Amino acid sequence: MNSPQTGSSPMRLSNQKFALLFTFLYGLLLIWLLPFHELWPDETEPWLLALYSDSYTDLLHNKRFEGHPNLWYSLLYVITRFTDNLQALKISHFFFSVGFVFVFLRYAPFHWLIRLLFCFGYYGVYEYGLISRLYAPEIFTMFLVCAFYQKRFSHWYAYIFLLALNAQTHLFGLYFSGAMGLLLFAEALWPTETVPAFQKVNAKRIGLGVLLWLVGCGVSFWSITHFLGFAHGHIWDPYKIQQASTRVWQAFFPVPEFLIQFWNTSYLRTKVEIPLSLLLVLLLLLTIRPKQLLLCILLLFAGLYYFFAFKFGLSLRHHAHFFLFTVAILWIATHYRTYTPSLKPKELFPANVRVGILNYLLLFTTITQFLCGIYALYIEYNYSFYPAKEATAYLEKHFPDYLLATTEEFPSSTITAYSGKPIFNLSRGEYVTFYDLDMTIENKLTPYQNLQWAKVWAQKNNKPVLLISSREIAIEHFPYPVKHIRSFDRKQIVSLPQDRFIYFYLVEPGYFPTYDFVVGPVADTVAPEVEQ
């Protein structure tokens, strides 16, 4: 993979040494920061699904509500066959984060300052570095596609394999692989002057390439939609359409509200962000060349906007793809000699105004992201991202041998991940390890019914029950003694609804008259006894 000419690296380093040095520094920074980040349910859910699936078929069944391709879950499944240490989740994600940083620093055609600002900014360090989700593998494979682009015809099947691999990472990886595949086969069928004669592909290779690409994209699409389908549409919801119209600006300039709960907030008001988003889109339409890449970014932006406006609003980590796709398209544009990375005004103005606008847009954007990253890391260092780690440590210190029961899997699943112990779910009448997104389950108990079932379980096992509740319960109105132990609902970075916090209640065993028991729609039998 050859890198197009980029802005001179600092200290006159070669691109290779520059990438190795700053990737090493990035890795050290991430190693120092990772212990300060507390995992939350979205991060631990794939780990728990992999860890507690008895077979790969079982994993595919258990993840049916996830709405993601299988690659990240499959990797974690392999890892959990060798270890159940939760740190392996962070370590696995660490290698993908370091991977995309190295590829970007080594092969991206942008000025060295822009490359550094992106990698050490909000997205590079915080959103896709510290938070262990499946986006780092997606960005890693997307950047590999960009770096390999110059050799797409000479290494035909390797490039198509990268497209298929990127499609297995995330829905938006499927978007990108779909657009790049269409571009690839269009240029192979109707070569332009940008395709050297010696690299032209014959019909047989094109046909087999199309087949492999379709299989890769098809497997990804099936794994995302085969169970969920296209449900939960929000057709013509004015609020969602309005919010989706702000996402381009937020992706390029992710300036949050300056609060502890800054994550997924935006500083500017909607009425300001909509025209700014439209201005950014217009600017890109007027400056991105050649026309086939302009069509690609239009297709990608239209897919993102449709999803955010008519399907799911989602969060900044998803909206950021407006920016990530722009970076990828500009990267690819260097191979068409329509983009140069210089930041020197004399080389850009007035002869190359279009490229100058793009370069300075990237510079201002990445400077903003770098400053936002500093703020995010300051908050992460001083406050809890999500209190499950603290709650688990509190349980293990003060109540190591108590029976644990939960009212809902969402808050307790991460406690399971940290403690390595399944927790009894009162609504389901069984032990659970991960939270199930099946909306058809109707065994939902009221807060007092949860207390009643907890008391029955304590009485049956003649042992106190530590109830993990997702909401605060007005125990002063409950007719039997229940003690509030501790609440974990203050000063956390993740902003959640009031029914997604963590509260501990102690329920002692005792006589419970049958006529006082209000039966909920739970299991037909009392919870099972625990082996002593």
Side-chain angles (χ1 to χ4, degrees), residues 200-422:
K200 291 182 180 178
V201 185
N202 61 45
K204 181 179 178 180
R205 286 163 63 88
I206 292 175
L208 185 55
V210 169
L211 178 62
L212 294 174
W213 172 71
L214 288 175
V215 168
C217 291
V219 168
S220 173
F221 184 78
W222 178 84
S223 63
I224 294 170
T225 64
H226 79 282
F227 194 87
L228 294 177
F230 291 97
H232 310 295
H234 302 280
I235 304 301
W236 300 114
D237 183 331
Y239 177 77
K240 285 192 175 293
I241 293 172
Q242 181 188 59
Q243 292 301 306
S245 302
T246 68
R247 302 313 187 190
V248 175
W249 174 262
Q250 293 172 5
F252 278 71
F253 297 92
V255 182
E257 297 180 24
F258 295 101
L259 308 167
I260 295 173
Q261 294 183 327
F262 74 91
W263 198 46
N264 295 320
T265 65
S266 184
Y267 183 77
L268 296 179
R269 300 183 67 178
T270 299
K271 66 179 182 181
V272 177
E273 290 180 329
I274 291 177
L276 288 174
S277 293
L278 292 175
L279 181 63
L280 277 175
V281 172
L282 179 62
L283 189 63
L284 294 174
L285 293 180
L286 293 175
T287 53
I288 288 181
R289 296 292 182 275
K291 62 182 180 180
Q292 55 263 47
L293 293 184
L294 179 61
L295 290 174
C296 281
I297 202 165
L298 278 174
L299 183 63
L300 291 168
F301 272 36
L304 290 174
Y305 183 81
Y306 167 79
F307 196 81
F308 300 145
F310 301 113
K311 286 292 181 179
F312 302 98
L314 300 181
S315 305
L316 181 58
R317 61 186 179 273
H318 309 101
H319 310 149
H321 285 76
F322 282 115
F323 174 75
L324 295 173
F325 286 160
T326 301
V327 167
I329 293 298
L330 291 179
W331 185 339
I332 290 170
T334 59
H335 300 294
Y336 296 86
R337 303 187 185 281
T338 61
Y339 174 82
T340 55
S342 176
L343 288 176
K344 297 178 180 179
K346 290 183 179 179
E347 296 180 7
L348 298 172
F349 305 103
N352 207 346
V353 175
R354 179 183 63 81
V355 174
I357 291 173
L358 286 172
N359 286 348
Y360 280 98
L361 172 63
L362 283 180
L363 178 62
F364 295 141
T365 296
T366 51
I367 288 174
T368 302
Q369 293 172 9
F370 179 76
L371 295 175
C372 293
I374 292 175
Y375 178 76
L377 294 178
Y378 169 79
I379 298 297
E380 181 78 31
Y381 182 83
N382 288 283
Y383 298 96
S384 171
F385 188 81
Y386 183 72
K389 182 179 180 181
E390 180 186 0
T392 305
Y394 181 84
L395 283 177
E396 292 177 344
K397 180 179 180 180
H398 298 285
F399 304 95
D401 299 321
Y402 279 55
L403 299 176
L404 299 181
T406 182
T407 64
E408 185 184 347
E409 297 102 322
F410 184 86
S412 60
S413 65
T414 307
I415 294 177
T416 293
Y418 274 111
S419 67
K421 299 176 182 177

Side-chain angles (χ1 to χ4, degrees), residues 169 173 238:
T169 58

Side-chain angles (χ1 to χ4, degrees), residues 156-223:
W156 179 254
Y157 294 115
Y159 181 75
I160 292 173
F161 171 77
L162 284 177
L163 291 181
L165 189 65
N166 181 239
Q168 309 311 311
T169 58
H170 189 269
L171 171 65
F172 299 150
L174 175 60
Y175 275 23
F176 186 73
S177 295
M180 290 299 100
L182 292 174
L183 175 62
L184 175 71
F185 299 121
E187 289 187 330
L189 289 169
W190 301 284
T192 63
E193 65 277 4
T194 61
V195 182
F198 68 88
Q199 287 191 355
K200 291 182 180 178
V201 185
N202 61 45
K204 181 179 178 180
R205 286 163 63 88
I206 292 175
L208 185 55
V210 169
L211 178 62
L212 294 174
W213 172 71
L214 288 175
V215 168
C217 291
V219 168
S220 173
F221 184 78
W222 178 84
S223 63

Side-chain angles (χ1 to χ4, degrees), residues 46-64:
W47 173 263
L48 292 171
L49 286 166
L51 180 63
Y52 290 101
S53 292
D54 295 328
S55 66
Y56 189 68
T57 303
D58 193 29
L59 171 67
L60 297 182
H61 173 76
N62 290 336
K63 71 165 286 287
R64 64 195 184 281

